[in-house]
Amino acid sequence: MFYVMTVRDEQNQSHIVGYFSKEKQNVKNYNVSCILVFPRFMGKKYGSLLIDFSYLLTRVEGTVGTPERPLSFLGRKAYQSFWHRKLITLLAEQSEEYVEDKPVQLSDLAQKTGMMPHDIASTLAQAGVLTLLQHSKVVVDLSKAQTIAASLPASQVPHTLDPSKLCWTPPLGAGRYFSQAIVQDPHQ
């Protein structure tokens, strides 16, 4: 399936900005097979918007996803930047939800974002807010996440898509029977 993004100009003409493709069913839970923003529209956050939209569809399907690998250099850069901004902002905004007796769970973050736990763990580790303890337990430094979020320029704060505006029905069987197995956090 292809999802195409367009913009309208002053003359009310539509122009294709970019697109992403997604397999209807796939056992590896890829939520994007190919993503492209045309050169004329690069640098305007359309890639981030397409990535965010792919994760919105993934959440509506009731599963988690990841882009098909290998990623190109620009693809890796775009996804790492998106994951970083989205996760750091989410942790900072919802830090009161996570207290000592209820620590951050990768499976909880996966459910809220639609991201695979391994993408979440590697992103938080790269950001320096994830610590691996003995017995495969992980700890997220929420105060550090808040500090990083506060230092993000306004242009890097992720936009928010309104799921209530989505008029879309997942393809039959898409992702639903994989969600329980994929979201399980091996560190719990």
Side-chain angles (χ1 to χ4, degrees), residues 102-117:
K102 186 181 180 263
V104 176
Q105 301 291 325
L106 293 182
S107 58
D108 182 40
L109 292 176
Q111 190 172 27
K112 288 180 180 181
T113 63
M115 298 175 196
M116 293 287 269

Side-chain angles (χ1 to χ4, degrees), residues 96-105:
E96 65 278 351
E97 222 180 276
Y98 304 109
V99 291
E100 276 188 44
D101 58 333
K102 186 181 180 263
V104 176
Q105 301 291 325

